Amino acid sequence: PEPKPAAVLEKSGWSFKPRGRLMFDAGTVNAPDSVDADTGFGNEVRRARLGASGDLPGGFGYKFELDFAGNEVEAADAILTYEDGDFEVTVGHHNNFQSLEELTSSLHTSFIERAAFTDAFGFERRIGLSASYEAGIVLAQAGVFTDNFDDTGTDNRGVDGRLVVMPKLGNTQLHLGGSLHYNELGEEDATVRYRQRPLVHFTSTRFVNTGNLGADSEFGAGLEAAAIAGPFHAVAEGYWQNVDMPLSENPTFFGGYAEVGYFLTGGDTRGYKGGKFDRTKPANPVGEGGFGSLQFNLRYDHLDLNDAGILGGVQNGYQASLVWKPTDYTLFSVNYGRMDYKDAVIPTADGDTDYGVDAFGVRAQVDF
Amino acid sequence: PEPKPAAVLEKSGWSFKPRGRLMFDAGTVNAPDSVDADTGFGNEVRRARLGASGDLPGGFGYKFELDFAGNEVEAADAILTYEDGDFEVTVGHHNNFQSLEELTSSLHTSFIERAAFTDAFGFERRIGLSASYEAGIVLAQAGVFTDNFDDTGTDNRGVDGRLVVMPKLGNTQLHLGGSLHYNELGEEDATVRYRQRPLVHFTSTRFVNTGNLGADSEFGAGLEAAAIAGPFHAVAEGYWQNVDMPLSENPTFFGGYAEVGYFLTGGDTRGYKGGKFDRTKPANPVGEGGFGSLQFNLRYDHLDLNDAGILGGVQNGYQASLVWKPTDYTLFSVNYGRMDYKDAVIPTADGDTDYGVDAFGVRAQVDF
Amino acid sequence: PEPKPAAVLEKSGWSFKPRGRLMFDAGTVNAPDSVDADTGFGNEVRRARLGASGDLPGGFGYKFELDFAGNEVEAADAILTYEDGDFEVTVGHHNNFQSLEELTSSLHTSFIERAAFTDAFGFERRIGLSASYEAGIVLAQAGVFTDNFDDTGTDNRGVDGRLVVMPKLGNTQLHLGGSLHYNELGEEDATVRYRQRPLVHFTSTRFVNTGNLGADSEFGAGLEAAAIAGPFHAVAEGYWQNVDMPLSENPTFFGGYAEVGYFLTGGDTRGYKGGKFDRTKPANPVGEGGFGSLQFNLRYDHLDLNDAGILGGVQNGYQASLVWKPTDYTLFSVNYGRMDYKDAVIPTADGDTDYGVDAFGVRAQVDF
């Protein structure tokens, strides 16, 4: 059997696993000189989480994790679950099934940040009730959701669903999925704002940004495809976000990415489980005579926030990352991205809004 | 022996138990249409706690629990204890012995919220030093207290005591108690404000509210009586809160409730331990072929904030709850209350201040 | 082998230890009557920490601790470590090697607060990368650091080093050390402010205070010497802090202390490990027929914030403490200090700025 962390305590029907993660990021952002932006060297504690998860007798389970990075406390998963055979019911604060990239733990992503559309369209955990069914190669998930843990007075009322098929063809793991999302913004004079940073999170500048848009509701649809074959993986997603605006034409924004990755170290492969990417476990870790795993990834990351007269800008990002995992629970990565912007919301001194931004970021990560 | 959670680690003189709880509430509040209040559907994370407790060698113990609900961090118990035979000394942030209902863990209450007076009179944990003596059917508790953990500059200086007798007559557990409380508000121009929500916590509206009252000190006295006999329990409390006001006559406000409950499932009974209600442990839990426990409760909840010329309003609440515990550590409840208000502080459009408010609340709860 | 807390879980290469501490302080501060200061009785939760530390396979380790005292959340150590023989590399939020007193855990200090200069000169944890080498009697530490966890936008860029020799002469543990520190304050119009409370932390008044000084960078140098011989210990440190001010002469402030301590209980000695003081473990703890350890300490605590035309004030503090440890993990202390101020920043009604302040503080402490 696989070695288990010391921290998992088990007794019939019970278990307790402390959960924690630390991610330290640093790097640079370079824009044309005359652009008024938070560029140059930056650093931050990207995530600093502490929590616990486990099983309870009777098929129940719990997970509660808090993030203390960035001088505020935010809840990550905070759930009560009930499992019965292929079905699982979840109550509490959890993700709304919005994309393979979003649902994959930040511990197991291939780049320092997820694809631009996941932040841009405001994906976040919300309080809700959901059910999932997983049997063989099929995973179906659906739920109703209200607000984020930190602000239960915002009157969001949403319904979300996702369907995944994940056949294994020989040694190749395939993943095909689609999801639909509808959220009513209950508040009077509600607005949405879609925007995104250039690859790295330690800058506060967003070169693409719709600004606040008066909105009644949002409708989203996403498509997912991925394949893992030994050291190789490929993944692509597209996501359409439509906004129901009370006073003007309804825009549909689009984001998506295509990515390939390859392990330079022998015997390594990307983890996959339950309709999302899972932990990479180096075949030859440090401490057992090995070097760990080294993975090289390339990504094209597209985000189009221009539609129906709204000029939020367009990003075409060309990104590369090198991810070194000495062991299962440690990770170091180097990331570079060239984001070509069209209609960027911050003009140069000449009024130019079409230019490129370079971002460079390194991460040190541990989880337990 | 009783099965123990996996999470309790023990070695001679040592133990460590992680502590956590999650409570998700949702429901509605309905007031007369013309009342300007936060009514309609609401939801919130009611409690989201993480912490630890345990024993240390030499008779010492510790408990430290934090609540992360509601976008702020609040300390619950944060104590160092020392036990020697029947005596226990406690240093730190803990409850001030103010009522059976308040001292009973929120995990084990029979309604979604405690009786109105416990919040109305501002019961909260404070930093202090207390001693308790428990032998046979007698429990005596007394302590001196300063301020709440979150604001140690408020200059509260209090002394509190409680006496309980808890005889067992045949199979019937009886509980009779009384408590006295004195708190000096040391700050210049100190005020108190007594107010309460209508049964549920996810609304921000209080229909009864004294407003800020200039005050030098508070004096409180409470009486407690309860009985548990097999599936049946009954409990009643009364609490008088007197305010020493420097510039006017001293008012005495009153709150109290009477409650009965009955388990519809065979073999179940309400837990009781150390002078307060304890965990209900279903005789036939889910996962062992049973349905868990189902308890039906009725409560009359009275609060009178009118006295000495102050018109804070009067509540007569008629409440019912159904509490389903599939297992020891999971709980779902449905709660309804009709609160008849007199002299409510929010008038209708006609200026009427005597009207009824309906509150409906459901809860999903897990602890570990 | 030494008894281990129940809470340490170990499996080959893995361990998990929950970490927590609670410190409750109370006492008084007395200044001349006409001084406008936060004097009289005060109390506070000094530290309330929760976290975890442990080992991971491959030589890696982690530690993450948060402090919830004072109505805000602050990160303490938040690190990923890698150990290879005598070398250890640390990434994350940790101390910058600034003095024996600062590096010694707050659990193991001999007074309720550390010597005045450690707070005055703004020692704090910062995010960085450091290496340490420990072999035989030599410990060498060096690192580069940016900002504090809670504010990664402050543009600090620092480099720090410390060298310690710690020979054992017979039964006497000696400690000789020195450290150098340079920090560039990257922000435009950056300032530093050096100030300190009178021994205890629950008052908000600082009688010595440079006020905000426009600054480009700080340079610090510290010397450390200590000896532990059975029940006796002596320790002295000096620290010079030079400020590079863009618009005026560069001041050099100085702080230091000399301290002796003695255990009144037989068989007790102060712990020492890895170039800093460690836990005192009573030879005859409560619970094993003993009384615990009782240690009496005297300290002269000097801080001079006058230089180059800046009149921040001078403190000469004469302090005594009695520290009772019933067991390894519990501590109670009584502390008294007489601080004689010259050029105090808060004048009396007569305009006098040379006067004495008395501080008295007690602490109750537990850690787990």
Side-chain angles (χ1 to χ4, degrees), chain A residues 60, chain B residues 107-110 230-233 261-271 278-297 321-334 363 365:
Chain A
F60 291 94
Chain B
L107 292 169
H108 310 323
T109 53
S110 45
F232 176 83
H233 87 274
Y262 189 81
F263 281 96
L264 307 174
T265 43
D268 289 314
T269 189
R270 202 167 176 193
D278 201 36
R279 187 180 298 277
T280 294
K281 296 179 175 177
N284 299 295
V286 166
E288 298 178 20
F291 171 76
S293 67
L294 194 63
Q295 185 191 15
F296 182 66
N297 303 290
S321 73
L322 197 61
V323 179
W324 174 40
K325 292 202 66 173
T327 65
D328 292 8
Y329 292 81
T330 52
L331 180 153
F332 300 88
S333 75
V334 180
R363 168 168 295 175
Q365 167 182 316

Side-chain angles (χ1 to χ4, degrees), chain C residues 47 73 83 88 95 103 110 118 154 233 287 293 298 322 349:
Chain C
R47 287 182 184 87
V73 185
E83 207 180 315
E88 189 173 46
N95 271 311
L103 295 173
S110 46
T118 63
T154 45
H233 86 273
S293 67
L298 289 172
L322 197 61

Side-chain angles (χ1 to χ4, degrees), chain A residues 23 84 106 204 320:
Chain A
M23 298 182 189
D84 189 358
S106 65
S204 61

Side-chain angles (χ1 to χ4, degrees), chain B residues 9-11 14-16 50-52 56-58 60-64 66 68 73 78-80 82 91-93 127 146-147 149-150 152 155 157, chain C residues 3-7 9 16 18 21-22 24 41 43-45 48-50 68-71 73 286-287 326-327 329-330 332 364-368:
Chain B
L9 304 175
E10 292 178 278
K11 207 175 272 190
W14 296 93
S15 74
F16 171 76
L50 217 49
L56 297 173
F60 292 95
Y62 63 91
K63 186 174 174 189
F64 183 25
L66 293 155
F68 297 93
V73 186
I79 51 175
L80 161 62
Y82 175 71
V91 186
H93 194 241
I127 298 164
T146 62
D147 305 297
F149 186 106
D150 285 336
T152 50
D155 293 344
R157 307 292 175 246
Chain C
K4 260 183 202 157
L9 305 174
F16 171 76
R21 70 183 69 171
L22 291 171
F24 300 97
F41 178 82
N43 79 125
E44 76 171 340
V45 184
R49 292 197 185 163
L50 218 48
F68 296 92
N71 208 10
V73 185
V286 167
T327 65
Y329 292 81
T330 51
F332 300 88
Q365 167 182 317
V366 62
D367 76 295
F368 53 92

Side-chain angles (χ1 to χ4, degrees), chain C residues 35-282:
Chain C
V35 169
D36 179 27
D38 174 19
T39 56
F41 178 82
N43 79 125
E44 76 171 340
V45 184
R46 181 61 180 97
R47 287 182 184 87
R49 292 197 185 163
L50 218 48
S53 64
D55 297 322
L56 296 172
F60 292 95
Y62 63 92
K63 185 174 174 191
F64 183 25
E65 219 175 328
L66 292 155
D67 195 324
F68 296 92
N71 208 10
E72 55 182 329
V73 185
E74 281 183 12
D77 281 348
I79 52 175
L80 160 61
T81 58
Y82 176 72
E83 207 180 315
D84 189 357
D86 299 331
F87 283 94
E88 189 173 46
V89 177
T90 301
V91 186
H93 194 240
H94 58 301
N95 271 311
N96 306 172
F97 316 123
Q98 277 125 335
S99 96
L100 172 57
E101 175 86 344
E102 181 73 10
L103 295 173
T104 294
S105 165
S106 64
L107 292 170
H108 311 323
T109 53
S110 46
F111 282 83
I112 194 169
E113 295 296 329
R114 296 190 177 95
F117 76 90
T118 63
D119 267 10
F121 296 151
F123 298 165
E124 62 174 7
R125 287 177 183 84
R126 287 192 179 148
I127 299 164
L129 174 68
S130 74
S132 89
Y133 169 84
E134 184 176 350
I137 63 162
V138 173
L139 168 68
Q141 302 168 304
V144 290
F145 293 91
T146 62
D147 305 297
N148 184 267
F149 186 107
D150 285 335
D151 190 359
T152 50
T154 45
D155 293 344
N156 287 292
R157 306 292 173 250
V159 53
D160 300 78
R162 180 174 178 246
L163 187 69
V164 174
V165 290
M166 35 192 183
K168 208 151 182 187
L169 297 189
N171 289 321
T172 301
Q173 173 71 59
L174 291 181
H175 170 108
L176 290 168
S179 67
L180 293 174
H181 311 271
Y182 177 75
N183 182 47
E184 215 166 279
L185 305 146
E187 292 189 302
E188 252 186 284
D189 303 319
T191 59
V192 297
R193 180 174 57 178
Y194 302 139
R195 55 181 193 162
Q196 178 60 310
R197 297 174 170 91
L199 179 57
V200 293
H201 189 272
F202 49 76
T203 177
S204 61
T205 299
R206 282 86 163 184
F207 295 95
V208 286
N209 189 345
T210 63
N212 286 325
L213 308 175
D216 286 340
S217 67
E218 297 165 300
F219 174 73
L223 290 178
E224 316 165 5
I228 305 172
F232 176 81
H233 86 273
V235 51
E237 290 194 69
Y239 198 98
W240 293 260
Q241 181 90 330
N242 177 271
V243 188
D244 186 1
M245 297 181 66
L247 302 173
S248 48
E249 198 190 337
N250 298 342
T252 297
F253 304 114
F254 173 77
Y257 68 97
E259 168 187 323
V260 291
Y262 189 81
F263 281 96
L264 307 174
T265 43
D268 290 314
T269 188
R270 202 168 176 192
Y272 179 86
K273 198 175 155 192
K276 51 193 181 183
F277 289 112
D278 201 35
R279 186 180 299 276
T280 295
K281 297 180 175 177

Side-chain angles (χ1 to χ4, degrees), chain A residues 206-211 311-313 341-347 353 355:
Chain A
R206 282 85 164 185
F207 295 94
V208 286
N209 188 345
T210 63
L311 273 189
Y341 291 111
K342 200 187 133 215
D343 302 320
V345 294
I346 312 175
T353 58
Y355 53 78

Side-chain angles (χ1 to χ4, degrees), chain B residues 23 40 51 55 60 94 101 140 145 148 164 166 176 184 186 215 219 230 252 297 323 366:
Chain B
M23 299 182 189
D55 297 322
F60 292 95
H94 59 300
E101 176 84 344
F145 293 92
N148 185 267
V164 174
M166 36 193 183
L176 290 168
E184 216 166 279
F219 174 73
T252 298
N297 303 290
V323 179
V366 63

